Each structure stands twice: as C-alpha cells, then as structure tokens.
Amino acid sequence: EWDAEKAALLKLAPENPYFSQVGGIDEKHIYGTKVTHKYIMGSLCKDPSPEEFGKWFEKTYGKDIDKVVALIQLKVDGSSFCLKYQSGKFIQGVTRGDGITGLDFTNNARYIKGVKETISAKGYVEIKGEVYKNRQDFEKYCAKDFANDRNYTAGAINQKSALITKERKLDFIAYEVRGVDFKTETDKVQFLIDNGFETLKDYTTKIVCKGKTTQDVVDEITKYMDKVDRNNLPFSIDGVVFKLDDIKWAESLGTTDGGRRPKANRAVKFLTEKAKIGRASCRERV
C-alpha cells in the first residue's frame, strides 16, 4: 500500500525532494561515527509489477533491445553495508545511512559472517552488499521477541558492543564492487566469488535480449519470479533486480536523484504478502 501511494504521488510531483531520500540516520539513537561515502550508496527505482517494468524497459531499451544482455537477481531485503579495503586489508565497515553519509561500525562488522579481513586486490576497493539474519534461525529463535528479521539485523549492527553483534549471528552477502574496473556485472560476481564472498550467483539468471520483444523480457522476469521459493531462502527478499551487464553502457545512461539511482537498472517488486510477524497480529508486508 505504501509503495502504491508513493508511485501515485511520484507521478503528480516527480521533482519533490522527498523522493530523493534514501534511508536515513536516526539522530536520537546512533552509536557509530558518521562517515561520508566515497561512492554514493543509492537505491534502485522500483516497479510494482513486471508489467510496469515492461513500460520502463521499452522506453529505456526498446530501440536497442537486440544489444541488451542483463542479469536478473534476487533483491535481498536486509541492511545495506559497505566494506572498505586498502591494499587488500579490511579497514572500515559503514552502513548506507542516507546514501551520502553512513555510520562506522567497523568493529561490529568483523563479527559478521562473510566479512573478509583480506582480499586479493590492490589499492582502494569497496565491497557493497546486504547484512541479514538467516530467516530460519530468526523464525526459530527470535521471532517471538522481534518484529521482523530486517529490524533485528539493523538493531544488531547498531550496537555499542561488538560482542552483542557477534551474539546476533548475522551474515553478509555481496553484490557490488567499486574501485576495480570491470567490463560486465558478470565479471564483478566472479571477482566476489574469487575473494570468498557469499554472492547471488545461485540466484542469478542472464537474459540475452537479441531477437526478443519487450513482452518476451517481461515474460522471462515473470517466470523467474514465479519460481522463487521465498519461504526457503536464507534471507528475506522483496523483489528482483534487473542489471544491464555492460557497465560502460549502464554508466553512460547516467543517474537520477543526485547520483543515487542509476537509470540503467531497475527493481521489480513482488506482490504484497501477508505474514504473521512476531507477537503482532497479521499485517501487510512488502
């Protein structure tokens, strides 16, 4: 319902600065030191259905559809996090915050499973991804005391004591690399795998659009989404992500909202599901 209302308002006032906001920092309840991101940690524009995605795809790629090769990945619904490395050594872990400024939780990050102390890369490199709480563990041990796994994760990161973060047993899954030149998104995934990170490789499909129509692409995405067994995934998801594989082409299309949202890529939301969350009664969850 919230997404639908936002979409309606966005059509009425697309330039309203409200729509440029990504996340945020609660000044009344923070522990980490503020850090300005070297590379903006933005978000993707979202469509509420594959059909709406098709309208955007036709407008963006209709004339060049035969050239389009893209990755379709699950959109993990956790807490966005950035790992910074210098000369292969982990030096800082920062939350997304509002996309421009995040919070430094380096010590806490060292106790998150999947965060690597060293990687095989020279110079300065950033690894971005999502921190999450394993869904099965959450349902078994935590659901009676916490509203949902996403809030649990955010609270587990935002702790003065890194030992509390350690006790919460979080995981990190990587999907983005900055500071290294790649030709394709596929190359990024391989870099992450080579450096030992958990990735979305097993939840990724490649779409080659040569000879296809926009409806064919929409049908492929719909088919992919229909096959996803959300209940048995280790993390929560709220949609899928379309990523143009050719990075230079994607960059040439530019961004919106002050660099926060790439024009080349898009998220497609799942339909709203109803779920019983924690002690609360049945509520809507997107």
Side-chain angles (χ1 to χ4, degrees):
E1 290 178 355
W2 185 89
D3 281 344
E5 290 184 11
K6 181 179 177 181
L9 292 171
L10 189 58
K11 290 181 180 179
L12 293 174
E15 302 303 320
N16 190 297
Y18 169 81
F19 299 113
S20 296
Q21 298 176 12
V22 181
I25 297 174
D26 184 354
E27 300 289 350
K28 298 179 181 179
H29 187 67
I30 61 174
Y31 299 124
T33 302
K34 287 185 178 181
V35 176
T36 300
H37 293 298
K38 180 175 181 178
Y39 303 105
I40 292 175
M41 287 190 71
S43 183
L44 294 177
C45 292
K46 306 175 184 68
D47 287 311
S49 68
E51 291 71 28
E52 288 298 317
F53 167 83
K55 296 176 184 178
W56 167 83
F57 182 87
E58 178 63 28
K59 181 179 179 181
T60 306
Y61 295 111
K63 295 180 180 180
D64 299 304
I65 190 170
D66 282 347
K67 301 177 183 178
V68 174
V69 177
L71 300 184
I72 306 299
Q73 298 177 327
L74 296 182
K75 185 175 180 293
V76 181
D77 190 20
S79 291
S80 297
F81 209 77
C82 175
L83 308 177
K84 302 181 181 183
Y85 294 84
Q86 184 66 53
S87 301
K89 295 182 179 181
F90 176 57
I91 58 172
Q92 193 173 50
V94 184
T95 63
R96 181 171 69 175
D98 62 4
I100 303 298
T101 303
L103 297 174
D104 184 341
F105 283 110
T106 302
N107 291 335
N108 298 31
R110 296 184 191 279
Y111 292 106
I112 296 174
K113 183 181 178 182
V115 173
K116 304 299 178 182
E117 285 290 340
T118 60
I119 61 174
S120 58
K122 298 179 181 179
Y124 177 79
V125 178
E126 291 188 2
I127 307 295
K128 298 181 181 181
E130 297 284 313
V131 178
Y132 68 93
K133 174 65 176 176
N134 180 278
R135 286 191 68 190
Q136 285 70 38
D137 284 350
F138 177 82
E139 293 296 333
K140 187 174 182 179
Y141 301 111
C142 314
K144 64 179 181 179
D145 296 316
F146 295 89
N148 56 66
D149 51 325
R150 185 178 184 181
N151 289 352
Y152 177 95
T153 299
I157 296 171
N158 185 36
Q159 296 289 332
K160 288 182 178 180
S161 171
L163 293 179
I164 296 178
T165 302
K166 180 181 179 180
E167 291 173 358
R168 297 290 176 87
K169 297 181 179 180
L170 305 178
D171 290 88
F172 176 78
I173 188 166
Y175 55 75
E176 177 64 285
V177 185
R178 300 299 297 271
V180 181
D181 290 329
F182 298 100
K183 291 184 178 180
T184 67
E185 290 291 337
T186 302
D187 293 337
K188 284 184 185 178
V189 175
Q190 191 58 53
F191 174 89
L192 292 168
I193 292 172
D194 291 343
N195 280 279
F197 288 100
E198 180 186 2
T199 73
L200 290 164
K201 180 183 178 182
D202 294 337
Y203 309 102
T204 299
T205 188
K206 181 176 286 188
I207 294 182
V208 179
C209 298
K210 186 174 182 179
K212 291 184 170 67
T213 65
T214 292
Q215 187 58 50
D216 290 334
V217 176
V218 171
D219 289 344
E220 286 197 39
I221 291 176
T222 301
K223 185 177 180 180
Y224 175 86
M225 295 176 74
D226 287 344
K227 285 184 177 181
V228 176
D229 184 358
R230 298 172 70 179
N231 291 328
N232 288 318
L233 290 172
F235 40 72
S236 292
I237 59 173
D238 59 352
V240 300
V241 173
F242 170 95
K243 288 184 180 179
L244 189 66
D245 200 33
D246 187 322
I247 293 174
K248 285 188 177 180
W249 185 6
E251 291 176 346
S252 73
L253 296 179
T255 60
T256 61
D257 294 340
R260 286 183 173 93
R261 303 180 192 274
K263 293 182 179 179
N265 304 330
R266 202 81 168 177
V268 187
K269 302 280 282 187
F270 282 104
L271 294 177
T272 300
E273 67 174 357
K274 290 187 176 183
K276 187 175 181 180
I277 305 175
R279 294 173 174 171
S281 58
C282 188
R283 67 178 73 171
E284 293 276 328
R285 192 176 179 198
V286 178

